[in-house]
Amino acid sequence: MTAHERLAEVFIEALPDAAARAIEEHTPEHVSAFVDAIPDSLSTKALGSMQPAHAARCLARVSPGAALRYLRPLSAQSIAAIFRHLPAELRAGLLAELPRRLAVRVNLILHYPLSAVGNWVDTSVPTVARDARVEDARVIFGASSENEYQTVYVV
């Protein structure tokens, strides 16, 4: 690995948003070759931080297997934003190969109109009935495979 390649990797790791802005200055052909040459975790960070249209143009140039490796760790919202810019046939093929739960979430988002709130927020949050007990909520949150709930709001 050259010093320039290592520097690029460190840049993506430390400042993915700034790195994405710099990467977007290059053609999708160059970016897709670069993304294919770095570790998958960094490719995911870079593509997830890019503007969705540019990320889509880059993903369209890599193999479907590579695209799936880069997409799987992203949120459903990020994937849907990128998918909106992919050709329909490629989008359908990638959607069919995503893990089922993630594919369902992405597909749901893709069916919201662009102006709908559901298109921009995570709609897969657990909720409990108004008359639920605290224990009911603990069971629902405990059963979640997301393990990302750091704050619980009680309204």
Side-chain angles (χ1 to χ4, degrees):
M1 173 183 305
T2 68
H4 289 105
E5 290 168 338
R6 183 65 189 134
L7 179 61
E9 289 183 6
V10 170
F11 187 30
I12 294 169
E13 185 68 45
L15 300 165
D17 292 338
R21 298 296 80 79
I23 292 168
E24 288 170 344
E25 296 294 320
H26 299 277
T27 66
E29 293 80 15
H30 287 118
V31 175
S32 60
F34 171 71
V35 163
D36 253 353
I38 62 177
D40 288 355
S41 61
L42 294 178
S43 298
T44 295
K45 276 189 177 196
L47 290 165
S49 296
M50 285 182 196
Q51 294 297 316
H54 197 77
R57 286 190 293 274
C58 296
L59 284 175
R61 288 168 171 77
V62 300
S63 72
L68 287 166
R69 287 194 318 271
Y70 308 150
L71 289 168
R72 278 188 192 111
L74 295 176
S75 71
Q77 286 75 23
S78 295
I79 295 171
I82 293 169
F83 275 15
R84 288 187 188 282
H85 299 279
L86 288 175
E89 186 175 307
L90 178 57
R91 179 177 55 237
L94 292 173
L95 189 62
E97 295 299 322
L98 286 174
R100 187 174 190 283
R101 185 169 184 222
L102 180 58
V104 167
R105 290 171 62 191
V106 170
N107 198 38
L108 175 68
I109 294 166
L110 288 171
H111 282 86
Y112 281 114
L114 287 175
S115 60
V117 171
N119 186 51
W120 303 107
V121 299
D122 186 356
T123 58
S124 64
V125 295
T127 58
V128 295
R130 177 179 218 130
D131 58 346
R133 297 173 302 136
V134 170
E135 184 58 31
D136 298 332
R138 292 184 68 188
V139 168
I140 290 171
F141 282 96
S144 172
S145 64
E146 298 296 318
N147 293 326
E148 61 185 44
Y149 305 108
Q150 297 173 1
T151 305
V152 176
Y153 295 94
V154 179
V155 182

Short mmCIF file of all heavy atoms in Angstrom, two decimals, residues 1-16 19-20 23 34 38-39 42 46:
data_model
loop_
_atom_site.label_atom_id
_atom_site.label_comp_id
_atom_site.label_asym_id
_atom_site.label_seq_id
_atom_site.Cartn_x
_atom_site.Cartn_y
_atom_site.Cartn_z
N MET A 1 0.85 -1.18 0.00
CA MET A 1 0.00 0.00 0.00
C MET A 1 0.89 1.24 0.00
O MET A 1 1.83 1.34 0.77
CB MET A 1 -0.89 -0.02 1.25
CG MET A 1 -1.69 1.24 1.43
SD MET A 1 -2.69 1.28 2.94
CE MET A 1 -3.64 -0.17 2.80
N THR A 2 0.55 2.17 -0.86
CA THR A 2 1.33 3.40 -0.94
C THR A 2 0.94 4.34 0.19
O THR A 2 -0.09 4.18 0.84
CB THR A 2 1.09 4.11 -2.29
OG1 THR A 2 -0.25 4.61 -2.31
CG2 THR A 2 1.33 3.19 -3.47
N ALA A 3 1.77 5.33 0.39
CA ALA A 3 1.49 6.33 1.42
C ALA A 3 0.20 7.09 1.11
O ALA A 3 -0.58 7.41 2.01
CB ALA A 3 2.66 7.29 1.55
N HIS A 4 -0.05 7.34 -0.18
CA HIS A 4 -1.28 8.05 -0.57
C HIS A 4 -2.52 7.21 -0.27
O HIS A 4 -3.53 7.75 0.19
CB HIS A 4 -1.24 8.40 -2.07
CG HIS A 4 -0.26 9.46 -2.39
ND1 HIS A 4 0.93 9.20 -3.01
CD2 HIS A 4 -0.28 10.80 -2.16
CE1 HIS A 4 1.60 10.32 -3.16
NE2 HIS A 4 0.90 11.31 -2.65
N GLU A 5 -2.43 5.92 -0.54
CA GLU A 5 -3.57 5.04 -0.26
C GLU A 5 -3.84 4.98 1.24
O GLU A 5 -4.99 5.02 1.68
CB GLU A 5 -3.32 3.64 -0.81
CG GLU A 5 -3.34 3.59 -2.33
CD GLU A 5 -2.80 2.28 -2.88
OE1 GLU A 5 -2.03 1.57 -2.17
OE2 GLU A 5 -3.15 1.95 -4.02
N ARG A 6 -2.79 4.86 2.03
CA ARG A 6 -2.96 4.82 3.49
C ARG A 6 -3.53 6.13 4.00
O ARG A 6 -4.40 6.14 4.87
CB ARG A 6 -1.61 4.52 4.16
CG ARG A 6 -1.71 4.40 5.65
CD ARG A 6 -2.55 3.21 6.08
NE ARG A 6 -2.77 3.26 7.51
CZ ARG A 6 -3.94 3.08 8.09
NH1 ARG A 6 -5.00 2.76 7.38
NH2 ARG A 6 -4.06 3.17 9.38
N LEU A 7 -3.07 7.24 3.47
CA LEU A 7 -3.59 8.54 3.86
C LEU A 7 -5.09 8.65 3.54
O LEU A 7 -5.87 9.13 4.35
CB LEU A 7 -2.82 9.66 3.16
CG LEU A 7 -3.27 11.09 3.46
CD1 LEU A 7 -3.12 11.40 4.95
CD2 LEU A 7 -2.48 12.07 2.63
N ALA A 8 -5.48 8.16 2.37
CA ALA A 8 -6.89 8.19 1.98
C ALA A 8 -7.72 7.34 2.94
O ALA A 8 -8.82 7.75 3.36
CB ALA A 8 -7.05 7.69 0.55
N GLU A 9 -7.22 6.18 3.32
CA GLU A 9 -7.95 5.33 4.25
C GLU A 9 -8.11 5.98 5.62
O GLU A 9 -9.18 5.94 6.22
CB GLU A 9 -7.25 3.97 4.38
CG GLU A 9 -7.39 3.11 3.15
CD GLU A 9 -6.76 1.75 3.30
OE1 GLU A 9 -6.31 1.39 4.42
OE2 GLU A 9 -6.73 1.01 2.30
N VAL A 10 -7.04 6.60 6.11
CA VAL A 10 -7.10 7.28 7.40
C VAL A 10 -8.09 8.45 7.34
O VAL A 10 -8.85 8.70 8.28
CB VAL A 10 -5.70 7.75 7.84
CG1 VAL A 10 -5.77 8.67 9.05
CG2 VAL A 10 -4.81 6.55 8.14
N PHE A 11 -8.09 9.17 6.22
CA PHE A 11 -9.00 10.29 6.02
C PHE A 11 -10.46 9.82 6.09
O PHE A 11 -11.30 10.41 6.77
CB PHE A 11 -8.70 10.95 4.68
CG PHE A 11 -9.44 12.23 4.39
CD1 PHE A 11 -9.85 13.10 5.39
CD2 PHE A 11 -9.72 12.58 3.07
CE1 PHE A 11 -10.52 14.28 5.10
CE2 PHE A 11 -10.38 13.75 2.77
CZ PHE A 11 -10.79 14.60 3.79
N ILE A 12 -10.77 8.73 5.39
CA ILE A 12 -12.14 8.19 5.40
C ILE A 12 -12.52 7.74 6.81
O ILE A 12 -13.63 8.00 7.27
CB ILE A 12 -12.30 7.03 4.40
CG1 ILE A 12 -12.14 7.54 2.97
CG2 ILE A 12 -13.64 6.34 4.58
CD1 ILE A 12 -12.00 6.43 1.94
N GLU A 13 -11.62 7.07 7.48
CA GLU A 13 -11.90 6.57 8.83
C GLU A 13 -12.16 7.71 9.80
O GLU A 13 -13.10 7.67 10.60
CB GLU A 13 -10.72 5.72 9.31
CG GLU A 13 -10.95 5.05 10.65
CD GLU A 13 -12.02 3.97 10.58
OE1 GLU A 13 -12.01 3.15 9.65
OE2 GLU A 13 -12.90 3.97 11.48
N ALA A 14 -11.33 8.75 9.74
CA ALA A 14 -11.42 9.84 10.71
C ALA A 14 -12.51 10.85 10.37
O ALA A 14 -13.20 11.34 11.27
CB ALA A 14 -10.07 10.55 10.80
N LEU A 15 -12.66 11.17 9.10
CA LEU A 15 -13.60 12.22 8.68
C LEU A 15 -14.38 11.77 7.44
O LEU A 15 -14.18 12.28 6.34
CB LEU A 15 -12.84 13.51 8.37
CG LEU A 15 -12.03 14.11 9.52
CD1 LEU A 15 -11.05 15.15 9.00
CD2 LEU A 15 -12.97 14.71 10.55
N PRO A 16 -15.29 10.80 7.61
CA PRO A 16 -15.98 10.25 6.43
C PRO A 16 -16.76 11.27 5.62
O PRO A 16 -16.77 11.19 4.38
CB PRO A 16 -16.89 9.16 7.01
CG PRO A 16 -16.93 9.40 8.47
CD PRO A 16 -15.72 10.17 8.85
N ALA A 19 -14.21 13.35 3.69
CA ALA A 19 -13.61 12.48 2.67
C ALA A 19 -14.58 12.27 1.51
O ALA A 19 -14.19 12.32 0.35
CB ALA A 19 -13.21 11.15 3.28
N ALA A 20 -15.85 12.09 1.84
CA ALA A 20 -16.85 11.90 0.79
C ALA A 20 -16.94 13.12 -0.11
O ALA A 20 -17.04 12.99 -1.33
CB ALA A 20 -18.21 11.59 1.40
N ILE A 23 -13.96 12.93 -2.37
CA ILE A 23 -14.09 11.82 -3.32
C ILE A 23 -15.08 12.18 -4.42
O ILE A 23 -14.88 11.82 -5.59
CB ILE A 23 -14.52 10.54 -2.58
CG1 ILE A 23 -13.40 10.05 -1.67
CG2 ILE A 23 -14.94 9.45 -3.56
CD1 ILE A 23 -13.83 8.96 -0.69
N PHE A 34 -11.59 3.07 -6.76
CA PHE A 34 -11.01 3.34 -5.45
C PHE A 34 -11.76 2.59 -4.37
O PHE A 34 -11.16 1.93 -3.51
CB PHE A 34 -11.01 4.85 -5.17
CG PHE A 34 -10.62 5.20 -3.77
CD1 PHE A 34 -9.31 5.06 -3.34
CD2 PHE A 34 -11.56 5.68 -2.87
CE1 PHE A 34 -8.94 5.40 -2.05
CE2 PHE A 34 -11.20 6.02 -1.58
CZ PHE A 34 -9.89 5.87 -1.17
N ILE A 38 -10.26 -0.45 -1.47
CA ILE A 38 -10.06 -0.25 -0.03
C ILE A 38 -10.91 -1.26 0.74
O ILE A 38 -11.80 -1.90 0.18
CB ILE A 38 -10.41 1.21 0.38
CG1 ILE A 38 -11.88 1.54 0.10
CG2 ILE A 38 -9.47 2.20 -0.31
CD1 ILE A 38 -12.31 2.93 0.55
N PRO A 39 -10.66 -1.43 2.04
CA PRO A 39 -11.44 -2.38 2.82
C PRO A 39 -12.95 -2.05 2.78
O PRO A 39 -13.33 -0.87 2.71
CB PRO A 39 -10.89 -2.22 4.24
CG PRO A 39 -9.50 -1.71 4.05
CD PRO A 39 -9.57 -0.83 2.83
N LEU A 42 -14.43 0.68 5.01
CA LEU A 42 -14.17 2.05 4.57
C LEU A 42 -15.01 2.40 3.35
O LEU A 42 -15.47 3.54 3.21
CB LEU A 42 -12.69 2.25 4.28
CG LEU A 42 -11.76 2.13 5.49
CD1 LEU A 42 -10.31 2.31 5.08
CD2 LEU A 42 -12.14 3.14 6.57
N ALA A 46 -17.46 5.58 3.17
CA ALA A 46 -17.36 6.56 2.09
C ALA A 46 -18.67 6.68 1.33
O ALA A 46 -19.20 7.78 1.14
CB ALA A 46 -16.22 6.20 1.15
#
